[in-house]
């Protein structure tokens, strides 16, 4: 069946890029449906590491088309830089292979400056965003003051719209935050010039998706961010400003629910989070350092986008059950199982205690969530390197037990286990 949605189930960085890359050869179109370059999807293919921010993970597969969907926000200059750096790595980035939706929204330097001022004003209550201007760009869109990518077809009009947007933000920066204004003329001139470079990539995303489906093609919708960062279903306000949940794919690309047959949730075998907000199963100190790695390996848990050390914690089944429900997951992919080889015992949260009561229902109310203490069950570790394992059956018994126990707890088939960043370090189950 035609559409597969791939979604992060935790706080991002679950390995969505890697899993998309593994599944990409089954698809004709890979489409990102939300977010911008707050996302960082890392792919390790044949000794090379590729870091993707705007561009879908299908770009590495010859013969596959990639679409940046209408639910995304795009910073033209940073997109052009990403395209250029992929070309330097030998990847063909052309308007035939890569498409940008006409209804995606533009991030301007004013959005970024505004976000900096907002974060500063929040002080200790800052959200700790990626600082890319994502929130203000979505705010402009929802306020009906945004600029759509389609505007780049007319560089003069686009330059004027950018000028007006910058001038407007300058007033806000000056009046509310007493910050320095941007040079609206210079920004508008620059955006005028990039418009003609990006215009050849523009396409109406609904039309592309439906043409693919009519021809019997397979579309893989790749989420940025993740369920617990969703603006509606995540830990508001410690969220991003888009809808990473599966429903976001329908809105962000323009198709209905009946064409979707698989919804794959990607989960790390433990939990990480970058940025602020409650994290019930977080561990600190030596345990966190051991889980994170020291940064000497490309896959150690430091942010792809910001380089920040990720906060580390044990797997949280309460949150995962919630992700199964709100995304309608049909299957689960479990990544980074190899990292747990470092531990003799592996605690997993099976329920929370909140105000003295046990619950296994994820609390949407942030104040309650912030008071949740995890109740753990501890599973035995395996303490041997599994990064070279190529068949599921060859995993140590304790590792298989961990996987199968999670599958039983969540009542969703766990169809893919990842034991390393490489394509070949992927164990398919059934
Ligand atoms: P994404 O944002 O969900 O695509 O995930 P990121 O790319 O930000 O972070 C995942 C990191 O883990 C990347 O460096 C991947 O190359 C790496 N990775 C993915 N799967 C595995 C795995 O099974 N084991 C290990 N060790 N690394 C993995
Ligand atoms: P991928 O696609 C992890 C986090 C930020 C911050 C919050 C809001 O690589 O999984 P934003 O800049 O979006 O307004 O920041 O969301 N965040 C991510 N964390 N992975 C991501 O993307 C993220 N995108 C945003 O750290 O806490
Ligand atoms: Mg990431």
């Amino acid at each position: 069946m035609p559409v597969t949605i791939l979604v992060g189930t935790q706080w991002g960085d679950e390995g969505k890029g890697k899993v998309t890359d593994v599944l990409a050869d089954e698809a004709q179109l890979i489409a990102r449906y939300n977010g911008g370059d707050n996302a960082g999807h890392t792919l390790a293919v044949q000794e090379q590491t590729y870091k993707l921010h705007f561009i879908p993970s299908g770009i590495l597969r010859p013969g596959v088309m990639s679409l940046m969907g209408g639910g995304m926000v795009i910073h033209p200059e940073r997109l052009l830089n990403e395209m250029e750096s992929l070309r330097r790595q030998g990847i063909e980035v052309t308007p035939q292979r890569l498409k940008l939706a006409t209804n995606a929204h533009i991030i301007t330097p004013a959005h970024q400056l505004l976000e900096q001022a907002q974060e500063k004003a929040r002080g200790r209550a800052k959200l700790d965003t990626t600082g890319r201007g994502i929130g203000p760009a979505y705010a402009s869109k929802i306020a009906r003051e945004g600029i759509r990518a389609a505007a780049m077809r007319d560089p003069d009009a686009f330059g004027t719209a950018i000028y007006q947007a910058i001038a407007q933000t300058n007033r806000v920066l000056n009046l509310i935050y007493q910050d320095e204004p941007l040079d609206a003329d210079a920004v508008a001139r620059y955006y005028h010039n990039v418009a003609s470079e990006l215009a050849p990539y523009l396409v109406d995303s609904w039309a592309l998706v439906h043409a693919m489906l009519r021809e019997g093609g397979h579309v893989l919708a790749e989420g940025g961010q993740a369920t617990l960062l969703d603006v509606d279903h995540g830990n508001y306000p410690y969220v991003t400003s888009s809808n990473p949940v599966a429903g976001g794919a329908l809105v962000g690309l323009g198709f209905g629910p009946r064409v979707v047959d698989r919804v794959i949730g990607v989960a790390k075998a433990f939990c990480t989070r970058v940025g602020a907000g409650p994290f019930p199963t977080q561990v600190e100190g030596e345990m966190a350092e051991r889980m994170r790695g020291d940064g000497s390996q490309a896959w150690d848990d430091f942010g792809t986008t910001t380089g920040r050390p990720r906060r580390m914690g044990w797997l949280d089944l309460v949150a995962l059950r919630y992700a199964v429900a709100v995304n309608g997951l049909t299957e689960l992919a479990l990544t980074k199982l190899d990292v747990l080889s470092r531990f003799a015992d592996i605690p997993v949260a099976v329920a929370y205690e909140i105000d003295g009561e046990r619950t296994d229902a994820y609390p949407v109310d942030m104040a309650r969530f912030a008071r949740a203490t995890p109740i753990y069950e501890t599973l035995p570790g395996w303490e041997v390197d599994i990064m070279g394992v190529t068949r599921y059956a060859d995993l140590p018994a304790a590792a298989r037990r961990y996987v199968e126990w999670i599958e039983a707890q969540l009542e969703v088939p766990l169809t893919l286990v990842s034991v390393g960043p490489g394509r070949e370090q992927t164990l398919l189950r059934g």
Side-chain angles (χ1 to χ4, degrees):
M1 261 266 281
V3 178
T4 297
I5 300 173
L6 186 137
V7 49
T9 57
Q10 296 157 328
W11 285 285
D13 305 324
E14 295 90 350
K16 297 176 292 293
K18 171 187 163 158
V19 178
T20 301
D21 175 64
V22 167
L23 301 176
D25 57 357
E26 295 170 17
Q28 282 68 50
L29 177 69
I30 314 285
R32 270 280 304 277
Y33 57 85
N34 75 299
D37 60 345
N38 47 350
H41 295 186
T42 313
L43 283 69
V45 180
Q46 285 155 1
E47 316 285 307
Q48 284 249 40
T49 299
Y50 303 90
K51 294 187 179 208
L52 301 172
H53 298 283
F54 292 112
I55 299 180
S57 302
I59 197 74
L60 299 191
R61 295 274 185 184
V64 172
M65 198 184 278
S66 292
L67 166 67
M68 293 170 282
M72 291 186 73
V73 285
I74 300 291
H75 187 285
E77 184 180 5
R78 298 200 298 258
L79 173 58
L80 285 167
N81 289 342
E82 185 175 335
M83 289 160 75
E84 204 37 54
S85 94
L86 281 175
R87 288 193 189 107
R88 277 199 301 275
Q89 288 188 281
I91 305 297
E92 190 192 332
V93 184
T94 59
Q96 285 71 43
R97 299 200 59 219
L98 179 66
K99 308 285 181 187
L100 170 59
T102 42
N103 58 338
H105 272 255
I106 299 293
I107 308 173
T108 70
H111 289 133
Q112 204 171 348
L113 220 58
L114 193 55
E115 178 167 39
Q116 269 169 28
Q118 289 166 342
E119 280 282 85
K120 207 163 99 195
R122 285 178 190 126
R124 282 159 48 103
K126 72 174 179 178
L127 303 178
D128 221 355
T129 69
T130 60
R132 299 288 199 267
I134 304 294
Y138 279 110
S140 293
K141 165 177 157 173
I142 300 300
R144 296 161 297 182
E145 288 168 355
I147 301 170
R148 282 178 156 190
M152 292 191 291
R153 284 187 172 139
D154 180 345
D156 287 341
F158 184 61
T160 306
I162 294 285
Y163 180 91
Q164 286 164 350
I166 305 284
Q168 156 102 355
T169 311
N170 276 343
R171 286 193 288 276
V172 176
L173 284 170
N174 180 27
L175 282 171
I176 301 181
Y177 299 105
Q178 282 87 48
D179 258 18
E180 291 298 306
L182 274 165
D183 182 343
D185 266 323
V187 177
R189 252 196 323 277
Y190 180 80
Y191 273 60
H192 176 280
N193 294 342
V194 299
S196 45
E197 281 188 65
L198 287 176
Y201 295 84
L202 289 168
V203 69
D204 284 345
S205 83
W206 78 269
L208 175 65
V209 168
H210 285 265
M212 283 277 174
L213 296 180
R214 234 183 355 258
E215 287 163 22
H218 189 148
V219 177
L220 177 55
E222 175 185 6
Q225 292 76 52
T227 306
L228 300 175
L229 292 174
D230 185 280
V231 68
D232 291 298
H233 298 284
N235 316 140
Y236 194 91
Y238 298 103
V239 292
T240 192
S241 299
S242 70
N243 286 117
V245 294
L250 278 60
V251 178
L253 294 170
F255 53 76
R258 289 173 60 188
V259 296
V260 181
D261 73 333
R262 293 172 78 188
V263 185
I264 305 174
V266 185
K268 266 181 189 163
F270 46 97
C271 280
T272 63
R273 172 161 209 176
V274 277
F279 182 177
T281 62
Q282 183 169 5
V283 295
E284 316 227 30
E286 189 274 329
M287 195 72 103
E289 278 166 33
R290 202 179 338 154
M291 209 186 279
R292 183 182 302 119
D294 60 7
S296 61
Q297 303 293 340
W299 59 82
D300 286 347
D301 270 297
F302 294 82
T304 308
T305 297
T306 58
R308 292 179 285 180
R310 293 174 182 151
R311 298 160 66 197
M312 312 300 296
W314 299 115
L315 191 69
D316 183 340
L317 291 182
V318 184
L320 269 188
R321 271 186 227 110
Y322 175 66
V324 170
V326 298
N327 294 297
L329 298 186
T330 61
E331 55 198 285
L332 208 71
L334 192 73
T335 61
K336 294 199 135 180
L337 188 65
D338 51 290
V339 170
L340 293 183
S341 303
R342 300 169 196 165
F343 298 94
D345 298 303
I346 307 174
V348 175
V350 291
Y352 295 153
E353 189 184 304
I354 305 174
D355 304 334
E357 276 181 39
R358 182 187 169 117
T359 176
D360 51 17
Y362 175 88
V364 173
D365 175 352
M366 256 287 296
R368 264 172 67 74
F369 182 57
R371 294 197 301 276
T373 340
I375 298 169
Y376 288 110
E377 269 186 42
T378 299
L379 279 78
W382 44 93
E383 294 188 283
V384 289
D385 183 4
I386 57 171
M387 292 184 90
V389 173
T390 53
R391 289 186 328 154
Y392 179 74
D394 296 339
L395 282 176
R400 277 183 280 125
R401 172 156 179 237
Y402 188 71
V403 170
E404 287 159 33
W405 181 78
I406 292 166
E407 182 177 53
Q409 292 285 320
L410 297 174
E411 300 180 56
V412 172
L414 203 163
T415 52
L416 184 155
V417 178
S418 175
V419 294
R423 264 184 198 164
E424 64 296 341
Q425 291 166 303
T426 310
L427 317 176
L428 298 176
R429 296 180 69 225

